[in-house]
Amino acid sequence: MFGRSLRIETALCVALLALGALPAAAEGSRLPRKPAEKATAEEAARKLRTMYFAQDFEGGRTEEKRLAARFPGSTEVLAWSLMHQSRLWLGGDAVPRAEKLITEHPGDPWGWFALTGALQRNADRSREALRTSQKALSLAKTHPDFLWLRASVLASEGPLSTALAFLDSVQSKVPNPAELLVVRAVAYRRAASQGEKTDPILERQALEAFSEARRIDPTNVNAHARAGESLLFANRAEEAYPLLRKAVRLSPLSAPLYALKWRAIRGRSDRKPEQKRAEIESDIRFLLKERGDNPEVVQGIANEYGELGLKEQQRKMEDRVLRLEPDGLQAEWVLVNRWRRQEERTEAGGKKNPKEVAVYRRMLRDFIRRPSHRADALLGEAYGNLFLSLSDDATASADEILALMNGMVKHEKTNQQIFRVRGPVVLADRKAHLNEAERIVLDGIQENRREARNREHTWHYDSRKSQKQWAKMMEGQLLDALGWVRFNQGRREEAEQDLQRSLKLSPGRMETLFHLGRLFESAGDLPKAEGFYVRGMAVQTPGPNPSEKAIKDLYVRRYGSAEGFESYLEKFRIEDRAKRKERILADRVAKPEIIPPFSLRALAGTKVGSMDLRGKIAVINFWGLWCGWCLGEMPEIQLLHEKYRNDPGVAVLTLDNDPNPDLVREWMKKNKFDFKVLLDDGYVRRVGVRGFPTTWFVDQSGRLVFEHTGWSQKLVEEFGWRIEALRSPESPPHGKPSG
């Protein structure tokens, strides 16, 4: 019984039968194996495969340590072991192990199978899985597992048409077609979300394929789990819940399935908070009894206690993780989650708390000093967070700033704009390590240009066009950093060229305008400096705007005192206000169309439909508690709501897409806000809202006339201009409202 309880083993056997687990060497496959080991090694590989398809990756990791040692000659056992490892955020370790397996057994298909699975879960190298899956299949042409893996890679990395054609060609060649139907559904689901808006036809086809898989094999874990996940992330928690509950019953030891089920429970609006908590805590008790010595499972429980607001229980579970595996990945996650919570405490009440900041920095330094690290991305995050905390601190050592920048260059892969742009600017401001700063930004320019040419990384972006736009914006920011470094090196002519090129690529960028102002001020060209400061001052920013202080200092320099400064400034404010209003009102949707219809439950429990808004000007703000920029403008949304509260011709409402309405309700109560909140049911994805916050301005006929994405510093004023423009008889509606 492999040393496990009868209860667990029985559940696994049921899952094995339900999944239609395949013999490791199906008829027609050509896989090398040792005859003397055939039965036992095959049994071990089958067990790992079953656990993989049951999403019991934590259990699989535990089993693989024993099974791999027992069957060291079985490449199939090792391959399935690495498949589990790659699903536990350990893909960085799985890839080199798989590559070593290929080196040692170049003609063995299981090495290529393992490498494909590891690459597929590696964000930086996932496209390589297309090539390796083809190689694996060429070595095991008729083996069902290799057919499944090739289909899975095509579904996640290839064009939809290619994936569907391959699935059609092999659907009848596997013992359990439900497994390939799940892959088909995943392919539809991926394609549905690749455009600007979610494709409802493809989304429906995905759910139908999942449903057909459940019909063929009612006990297929993934047919339930992946369908539930699709519904869950469309904010359809009530529909997702029964599917995820069934998936958990089929695989009662899978921590990832419990995490999804718990999210569905929290997202249900038809259950009371105490009912939700009781069900989740019942699951937790079962998991602790069965898997309380597994660090991945315990860490998942700690996270759930955090979601429930049970801080003491969360800390106890985290302490258990640190005892179970102090040098493991889950221990790193505990430390990361703790410093993230500490970061929130540093700004309690909107002000920096020096004591809490000191604790936060110590936690980050301690993490960086750990003798070993399991996840490069988490180490990169630590370097980046400590840099951000110290970058505005005049007492911080320039040597430490440089060390943190080098750490980010080595380990941080996702925030180029921080370590390649802001880092060099910080050193330039301090006039320290300028040659190193120049090197870092020049390397960043080359890296950005390579990324712009890399068509394999378009998955990071909505389209090839958006990839090029991002690269252009980054080029502008990098040139600004380069120009500022060179200015502080005394290379004024080169600096001016870099900064002017930056401004062409990123027009209106606050930092570049300020740097140009400083450059011309240093050259004695005060009128030009003033012009750049004035333009920079007009840029809205939630933090300090350096041009505001610079223009006051310039005024004092020119006139000898600050007397009359406010009157001088008012002229620019009036001009800015007129320009902003003209720009905003000119930014109308070229061809206004009726917004897609909706009928959504409000936080208060009532239903609100798009047809209810006809005859009114509607302001619809899309937001979420997870969005810091959204929360920053919510006080202004409340003021806008109060301004138009008694106006029968205007409706101000918001559409929240958080998964847990209970948290939204608590947040609204805590902040004493009473604007109307609608709860997303997938509408956000269907209409293609991707940037947050986004606000729609809908006219009396239900047409979208203005759309604004991003944070607004002067929200009440600027939103009010749009509302009054829609009220104007000069803009009669074109076209008839649709019923």
Side-chain angles (χ1 to χ4, degrees):
M1 301 298 288
F2 292 90
R4 307 193 42 185
S5 72
L6 177 62
R7 182 178 185 181
I8 299 173
E9 226 11 82
T10 301
L12 287 171
C13 289
V14 169
L16 173 60
L17 293 172
L19 287 165
L22 310 172
E27 185 178 355
S29 61
R30 301 181 185 130
L31 301 181
R33 61 175 75 251
K34 298 179 180 179
E37 242 181 37
K38 182 176 180 180
T40 54
E42 185 175 293
E43 181 183 63
R46 187 183 302 180
K47 179 169 186 174
L48 289 174
R49 180 195 190 280
T50 300
M51 297 175 80
Y52 182 88
F53 276 87
Q55 295 198 31
D56 187 7
F57 310 122
E58 296 81 7
R61 183 184 174 214
T62 300
E63 282 295 296
E64 64 96 2
K65 294 176 182 178
R66 187 180 63 78
L67 294 176
R70 184 177 175 187
F71 306 108
S74 173
T75 55
E76 184 179 358
V77 168
L78 181 55
W80 281 110
S81 298
L82 294 179
M83 292 288 285
H84 281 277
Q85 185 174 327
S86 66
R87 293 297 297 265
L88 291 170
W89 240 68
L90 297 168
D93 293 337
V95 170
R97 288 183 65 191
E99 290 173 334
K100 181 182 178 184
L101 182 60
I102 290 173
T103 301
E104 295 173 349
H105 306 276
D108 191 321
W110 286 109
W112 292 96
F113 184 94
L115 181 58
T116 298
L119 288 171
Q120 193 179 10
R121 299 291 166 181
N122 186 303
D124 294 325
R125 300 180 61 184
S126 60
R127 295 285 294 179
E128 295 178 46
L130 286 167
R131 175 182 58 83
T132 58
S133 65
Q134 183 64 53
K135 174 66 175 178
L137 187 59
S138 72
L139 296 172
K141 293 186 173 107
T142 60
H143 194 291
D145 286 352
F146 289 75
L147 295 172
W148 163 81
L149 185 64
R150 175 63 175 169
S152 177
V153 171
L154 289 173
S156 64
E157 301 295 333
L160 176 63
S161 57
T162 304
L164 295 181
F166 181 80
L167 284 162
D168 288 341
S169 69
V170 301
Q171 189 75 43
S172 62
K173 298 179 181 179
V174 297
N176 187 354
E179 291 178 354
L180 292 187
L181 278 168
V182 170
V183 175
R184 182 182 294 271
V186 170
Y188 281 133
R189 179 185 170 191
R190 171 177 172 252
S193 61
Q194 284 186 318
E196 290 186 4
K197 299 179 181 180
T198 299
D199 187 319
I201 296 176
L202 291 174
E203 195 168 49
R204 185 176 67 251
Q205 287 176 311
L207 292 175
E208 288 172 351
F210 282 130
S211 178
E212 178 64 8
R214 294 194 299 275
R215 186 191 68 78
I216 294 173
D217 181 1
T219 53
N220 186 296
V221 173
N222 285 300
H224 292 84
R226 300 300 293 270
E229 181 185 40
S230 298
L231 292 166
L232 184 58
F233 286 95
N235 279 346
R236 296 162 66 179
E238 281 86 358
E239 297 171 73
Y241 172 74
L243 290 167
L244 294 169
R245 181 180 60 183
K246 180 66 177 293
V248 165
R249 288 177 176 173
L250 292 170
S251 182
L253 297 174
S254 168
L257 295 184
Y258 279 103
L260 289 172
K261 179 192 173 190
W262 294 337
R263 179 168 174 172
I265 292 171
R266 294 196 307 270
R268 295 183 66 179
S269 57
D270 59 344
R271 299 279 296 276
K272 294 180 179 179
E274 56 270 22
Q275 293 174 315
K276 299 178 185 181
R277 178 170 162 177
E279 183 173 358
I280 292 171
E281 289 187 322
S282 174
D283 288 342
I284 287 175
R285 286 193 294 271
F286 171 77
L287 271 181
L288 285 175
K289 179 181 177 183
E290 300 292 344
R291 288 273 175 87
D293 59 348
N294 186 297
E296 286 88 4
V297 171
V298 177
Q299 172 60 8
I301 291 170
N303 290 340
E304 189 60 26
Y305 275 136
E307 293 287 347
L308 295 173
L310 302 175
K311 296 180 180 179
E312 183 60 31
Q313 291 92 324
Q314 180 182 26
R315 177 161 285 276
K316 287 181 179 179
M317 290 298 104
E318 289 177 340
D319 288 342
R320 183 185 290 198
V321 171
L322 294 175
R323 290 193 302 270
L324 286 169
E325 199 173 41
D327 297 323
L329 175 62
Q330 299 309 316
E332 289 190 10
W333 271 112
V334 165
L335 299 175
V336 170
N337 289 333
R338 285 182 173 179
W339 90 51
R340 288 175 179 174
R341 297 196 297 269
Q342 179 63 26
E343 183 182 17
E344 295 175 3
R345 288 192 281 271
T346 63
E347 295 191 25
K351 295 181 179 180
K352 290 284 186 183
N353 183 318
K355 290 184 179 180
E356 299 291 359
V357 168
V359 172
Y360 174 60
R361 291 175 178 173
R362 186 183 71 244
M363 293 171 75
L364 290 169
R365 288 186 177 110
D366 288 345
F367 185 87
I368 290 170
R369 293 187 190 117
R370 282 169 66 86
S372 63
H373 295 87
R374 302 300 302 277
D376 214 42
L378 298 182
L379 178 57
E381 182 182 340
Y383 275 113
N385 285 12
L386 185 54
F387 165 77
L388 291 174
S389 180
L390 294 174
S391 60
D392 295 328
D393 186 342
T395 66
S397 158
D399 291 342
E400 183 174 19
I401 295 290
L402 178 61
L404 294 173
M405 288 171 57
N406 286 325
M408 288 187 286
V409 167
K410 184 176 180 180
H411 301 286
E412 172 59 70
K413 306 301 182 186
T414 57
N415 291 300
Q416 183 181 152
Q417 67 273 25
I418 293 177
F419 66 80
R420 297 290 192 187
V421 176
R422 185 166 175 179
V425 168
V426 169
L427 288 180
D429 286 338
R430 294 165 179 257
K431 294 183 171 53
H433 301 301
L434 295 177
N435 291 338
E436 290 87 345
E438 183 183 21
R439 169 185 58 79
I440 288 172
V441 73
L442 284 172
D443 288 347
I445 289 173
Q446 294 305 313
E447 183 179 311
N448 183 60
R449 290 173 181 174
R450 283 194 299 271
E451 176 69 14
R453 296 190 297 267
N454 189 349
R455 293 178 176 273
E456 287 194 352
H457 281 189
T458 53
W459 65 272
H460 288 293
Y461 313 93
D462 294 339
S463 63
R464 175 70 175 155
K465 180 180 178 181
S466 66
Q467 181 184 18
K468 290 181 178 180
Q469 289 173 336
W470 173 260
K472 178 182 176 182
M473 182 194 71
M474 279 305 309
E475 180 94 356
Q477 294 189 17
L478 288 158
L479 285 170
D480 170 64
L482 181 62
W484 190 235
V485 169
R486 287 175 170 171
F487 171 74
N488 284 278
Q489 288 174 322
R491 299 155 64 181
R492 187 185 177 284
E493 290 185 8
E494 292 174 88
E496 182 178 348
Q497 291 176 2
D498 294 330
L499 292 171
Q500 292 286 11
R501 288 168 60 204
S502 168
L503 198 61
K504 286 182 180 179
L505 293 170
S506 298
R509 187 168 182 266
M510 179 183 69
E511 294 85 349
T512 308
L513 292 166
F514 170 69
H515 290 154
L516 280 164
R518 286 283 302 277
L519 183 144
F520 284 107
E521 184 178 359
S522 72
D525 193 339
L526 302 190
K528 264 193 174 180
E530 179 186 72
F532 282 113
Y533 289 147
V534 168
R535 289 170 63 186
M537 190 175 59
V539 178
Q540 296 186 28
T541 174
N545 188 324
S547 289
E548 292 179 357
K549 181 180 184 302
I551 201 167
K552 184 173 184 178
D553 291 344
L554 183 61
Y555 180 90
V556 172
R557 178 179 172 185
R558 296 177 73 178
Y559 302 107
S561 75
E563 185 178 352
F565 176 68
E566 286 302 319
S567 298
Y568 159 85
L569 205 58
E570 185 60 24
K571 175 186 68 172
F572 297 118
R573 288 172 177 158
I574 292 172
E575 290 176 358
D576 171 60
R577 186 175 186 275
K579 289 178 181 178
R580 280 190 294 116
K581 186 172 183 178
E582 181 181 6
R583 184 173 64 251
I584 285 170
L585 296 185
D587 191 27
R588 301 169 70 97
V589 174
K591 295 181 179 180
E593 296 181 357
I594 303 293
I595 65 171
F598 64 78
S599 179
L600 300 170
R601 179 180 283 107
L603 196 60
T606 57
K607 276 288 188 86
V608 176
S610 49
M611 291 301 297
D612 299 330
L613 304 175
R614 292 299 175 85
K616 297 182 180 182
I617 296 165
V619 180
I620 307 174
N621 178 267
F622 295 84
W623 69 294
L625 291 176
W626 50 268
C627 168
W629 293 105
C630 301
L631 300 186
E633 70 177 15
M634 280 298 140
E636 293 285 304
I637 291 288
Q638 176 66 22
L639 291 175
L640 187 76
H641 162 67
E642 292 171 1
K643 178 179 179 179
Y644 292 99
R645 186 195 299 272
N646 298 318
D647 189 330
V650 178
V652 176
L653 59 156
T654 69
L655 201 165
D656 172 81
N657 80 324
D658 284 287
N660 188 350
D662 297 334
L663 295 180
V664 181
R665 190 174 291 107
E666 291 171 11
W667 186 85
M668 291 286 291
K669 183 177 180 181
K670 176 183 176 182
N671 288 280
K672 299 180 180 178
F673 294 154
D674 65 346
F675 51 79
K676 187 177 288 292
V677 179
L678 307 183
L679 301 175
D680 184 30
D681 68 348
Y683 185 76
V684 171
R685 293 173 67 248
R686 292 196 296 275
V687 299
V689 172
R690 292 179 180 269
F692 287 80
T694 285
T695 305
W696 285 356
F697 299 83
V698 182
D699 69 9
Q700 297 90 333
S701 299
R703 300 177 312 149
L704 177 61
V705 180
F706 292 103
E707 181 174 8
H708 175 67
T709 298
W711 171 84
S712 299
Q713 185 177 29
K714 300 173 182 178
L715 184 148
V716 175
E717 178 182 62
E718 295 181 356
F719 282 19
W721 291 338
R722 295 177 174 97
I723 291 170
E724 297 309 316
L726 293 181
R727 210 195 291 270
S728 169
E730 298 176 3
S731 304
H734 303 288
K736 299 178 181 179
S738 65

